[in-house]
Amino acid sequence: MNTSRRTLLKGLAGVPALLAATYSPLAALAQEGGAGHDALRVAMAKPAGSLDPHKYIGLWSVQDLIFEPLIRYGHGGKMEPALATEWAVEDGGKLLRVKLRQNVTFHDGTPWDSKAMTWNLDRWMGKDAHNWMNCSRLFDGHKAVDDHTVEIRFKEPVLGLLYEFSYVRPSRFLSPASVAADGSYQKPVGTGPWMEESASNSSSTFERFDGYWGDRPSFQHIDLMVLPDSRSRMAALRAGEIDLIGGDFLAPIKATEAKALQDAGIPVVVETGTMSIVLGFNPERNEALKDRKVRQAIDIGFDRSAISQVLFNGMAEPAGNLFPATVPLSGKRFEVSKRDPEAAAALLEEAGWTGSGIREKDGKQLALELVVSEEAMAGSRALGEILQAQLAEIGMQISIRTVDHASRHSDIPARKFDLALFYTLGAPYEPFGTLIGMLLSTFNNGVDGKLAIDVANLDPLLLAAASAADDKVEGATQAVYDWLHENVALLPLFYAPVIWAHTERVAGFKAPATEYDLPFENITLGA
């Protein structure tokens, strides 16, 4: 995958004067857009940007209001009908046949049919910019069987095919009538339940599409208000000037902030999400890490549970697996490693690292560099400093190198680190988004980098899982997890929490299935 998707470690930073009174311009913004009590008022940390569904620019969750997929990713990885009502994968995985939902129109009245679908496919499938997706890279043509049936053919079976068609971009559908004469994007017109009314650097407003084919929202408007500063968002929520905040990509809430909101009586929803925080090793840069015993010592040299309490207020579950159980095919559950300094020290002794203070072997100190970036991974330095302190107690010297966002995106893919913190990609990309994108040595995943690389041992297991038949895929993916666990090839640290907060005015709130969705379904608004 070649785009940066997330801000990491939302639970790690301190929050001074969290609920201090601050001036907010939201009263004026609320008057400019929406319809007062008939508008769900949502904070976003930055403007929505271009909502072209075939570009990688705008906010995912805002695009999700307008543009719909063929198949929607539901809770627990369940594939749910959206613009397609039926689908079948045939010819050994090289043909996808979809039945399109009938009596659906775009916001501008253009019908949703085979012609509209294939027009959209031609805008992105098979194009180099989108070949990070298997379905685009292996695209071999399409055929409109009738007005509401389309077949898509691929050069070979496509790993994660149905999941790819649930992504927010580029696999969602734009009205063919909403582009210029040369085909260039003009405005966001989809089939979804919301239509864009206005957009600026301070806010975006959306009106309910009353011609929507599905269940219509119970309120008429959504007002998205730009509040870059988290303290302003907290104060605005508490003052009742906004109704909803949360989501990694919309308006992140740190665990410390969530605790302060809970203490103030604000409803907070905390769930285990689908992303994991993982510590990656680079044995090729630091010889010490080639020894499994050294990696084991690191694994039991720090206290996940204590870190969760200190940095996440207990909201991040310590991890024993690469993926939480909320991810499909996440494997049998391994025990979470517990801190045992004496056992860790014994492992280092067995590996030949001896002495008091910083251990040495063959005249060389046991020194490792951890790369962190506060810009790319908020709070990563705080986590790094705890690892540094606890691992020093077993004789390891951890130096922390702080880099900016751009430098991290060059250093991590170039493997310029001994240790580094990663986020798995989360739903709907899992499990193969992370397994292939962040572990297979031959897959170019751009700025995301690799959690671990082992061409001789790990690559064959990954390729076997990628090509396994449906009845074999569970065992094949488990073989990957077993190898990672037995070889201590990486260290799962925490399952990142999903955190949302809302006012008492909001009833029926439920956290969305992915971090790419904006939750509005089932919500009713009080006075």
Side-chain angles (χ1 to χ4, degrees):
M1 318 289 174
N2 59 3
T3 54
S4 176
R5 294 189 179 85
R6 54 200 85 263
T7 53
L8 296 187
L9 310 177
K10 59 189 171 188
L12 301 185
V15 189
L18 173 63
L19 295 175
T22 56
Y23 168 75
S24 170
L26 292 184
L29 283 174
Q31 292 299 316
E32 292 174 7
H37 292 302
D38 200 25
L40 177 68
R41 301 162 301 171
V42 185
M44 55 183 178
K46 60 182 180 181
S50 169
L51 299 181
D52 185 345
H54 302 138
K55 300 291 185 182
Y56 302 95
I57 302 172
L59 291 179
W60 285 281
S61 54
V62 180
Q63 290 173 312
D64 179 62
L65 296 175
I66 298 171
F67 303 108
E68 295 187 289
L70 291 172
I71 307 165
R72 188 171 291 279
Y73 186 102
H75 286 274
K78 181 182 179 183
M79 293 287 96
E80 300 174 346
L83 290 179
T85 56
E86 300 176 34
W87 53 88
V89 180
E90 301 175 354
D91 192 18
K94 294 192 290 186
L95 178 70
L96 174 65
R97 180 183 294 108
V98 294
K99 286 282 189 181
L100 305 186
R101 189 177 296 278
Q102 299 191 35
N103 302 314
V104 174
T105 65
F106 290 90
H107 302 155
D108 59 8
T110 302
W112 163 248
D113 55 18
S114 297
K115 183 179 178 181
M117 175 176 168
T118 54
W119 178 87
N120 273 269
L121 297 182
D122 289 339
R123 291 176 69 85
W124 66 273
M125 289 197 79
K127 305 290 194 294
D128 288 346
H130 310 292
N131 281 356
W132 60 271
M133 290 176 66
N134 292 317
C135 65
S136 175
R137 179 174 56 86
L138 299 172
F139 177 62
D140 198 30
H142 56 63
K143 174 185 176 183
V145 177
D146 58 40
D147 287 348
H148 291 90
T149 307
V150 175
E151 293 180 348
I152 309 174
R153 185 161 290 280
F154 305 97
K155 297 171 185 176
E156 59 185 73
V158 177
L159 179 69
L161 175 60
L162 299 183
Y163 290 121
E164 291 195 338
F165 276 103
S166 74
Y167 296 175
V168 173
R169 57 193 186 208
S171 49
R172 299 209 178 179
F173 296 91
L174 172 71
S175 170
S178 69
V179 301
D182 62 359
S184 59
Y185 169 83
Q186 294 295 298
K187 55 185 177 180
V189 180
T191 60
W194 298 99
M195 303 181 294
E196 185 182 65
E197 285 186 289
S198 64
S200 69
N201 286 332
S202 61
S203 65
S204 292
T205 63
F206 297 85
E207 182 179 9
R208 185 176 66 197
F209 176 40
D210 286 339
Y212 183 55
W213 60 266
D215 294 335
R216 291 188 302 167
S218 64
F219 44 93
Q220 189 70 31
H221 296 270
I222 291 180
D223 292 346
L224 292 167
M225 303 177 180
V226 178
L227 287 173
D229 179 67
S230 65
R231 288 193 299 172
S232 296
R233 295 196 293 268
M234 301 303 112
L237 183 72
R238 195 180 185 196
E241 295 172 334
I242 56 175
D243 299 309
L244 179 66
I245 57 173
D248 254 3
F249 309 130
L250 193 66
I253 303 174
K254 303 177 182 70
T256 45
E257 293 171 330
K259 179 62 165 58
L261 289 172
Q262 287 176 331
D263 291 346
I266 302 294
V268 175
V269 176
V270 181
E271 296 181 359
T272 299
T274 59
M275 293 183 284
S276 304
I277 300 164
V278 184
L279 183 66
F281 298 127
N282 185 7
E284 298 307 314
R285 188 170 186 257
N286 193 308
E287 287 283 329
L289 293 172
K290 289 184 176 180
D291 193 325
R292 179 177 179 273
K293 291 179 179 178
V294 173
R295 301 194 299 272
Q296 279 184 295
I298 295 173
D299 186 31
I300 61 174
F302 62 92
D303 192 329
R304 289 168 173 80
S305 295
I307 294 172
S308 176
Q309 292 299 323
V310 170
L311 297 182
F312 290 99
N313 285 294
M315 295 179 184
E317 180 185 349
N321 291 63
L322 179 58
F323 301 118
T326 52
V327 169
L329 295 172
S330 58
K332 68 181 183 184
R333 311 319 288 169
F334 298 117
E335 287 188 12
V336 177
S337 297
K338 293 181 171 57
R339 189 178 190 223
D340 189 336
E342 292 183 1
L347 285 166
L348 294 176
E349 290 283 343
E350 292 173 18
W353 294 96
T354 60
S356 58
I358 304 303
R359 295 174 180 270
E360 295 186 359
K361 181 179 180 180
D362 300 328
K364 185 177 180 180
Q365 285 191 324
L366 183 51
L368 303 168
E369 180 187 68
L370 172 64
V371 174
V372 302
S373 170
E374 282 297 307
E375 292 179 27
M377 300 178 266
S380 55
R381 186 167 185 94
L383 176 55
E385 288 173 350
I386 294 180
L387 296 176
Q388 182 184 56
Q390 294 196 332
L391 293 176
E393 296 177 19
I394 62 171
M396 288 186 174
Q397 177 179 294
I398 306 296
S399 60
I400 301 174
R401 176 163 62 93
T402 301
V403 297
D404 61 19
H405 190 78
S407 296
R408 187 187 189 279
H409 281 171
S410 59
D411 284 4
I412 298 302
R415 309 290 286 170
K416 294 180 181 178
F417 65 89
D418 298 339
L419 306 170
L421 293 166
F422 292 80
Y423 232 150
T424 58
L425 302 182
Y429 300 95
E430 304 299 18
F432 291 106
T434 292
L435 291 181
I436 301 301
M438 302 181 77
L439 291 171
L440 183 64
S441 68
T442 57
F443 188 92
N444 180 5
N445 67 339
V447 301
D448 286 331
K450 300 292 181 180
L451 279 167
I453 296 175
D454 191 315
V455 176
N457 299 296
L458 181 55
D459 276 10
L461 295 174
L462 292 166
L463 293 171
S467 60
D470 288 348
D471 61 342
K472 303 291 185 184
V473 68
E474 184 174 358
T477 53
Q478 186 61 54
V480 173
Y481 302 140
D482 289 342
W483 187 91
L484 294 172
H485 183 73
E486 291 164 6
N487 288 277
V488 199
L490 48 79
L491 298 186
L493 302 181
F494 306 101
Y495 304 132
V498 170
I499 305 177
W500 292 85
H502 59 82
T503 61
E504 295 285 359
R505 178 172 179 258
V506 172
F509 176 85
K510 183 179 180 181
T514 84
E515 291 279 11
Y516 303 89
D517 306 326
L518 196 155
F520 62 85
E521 296 178 343
N522 305 313
I523 285 178
T524 57
L525 298 177

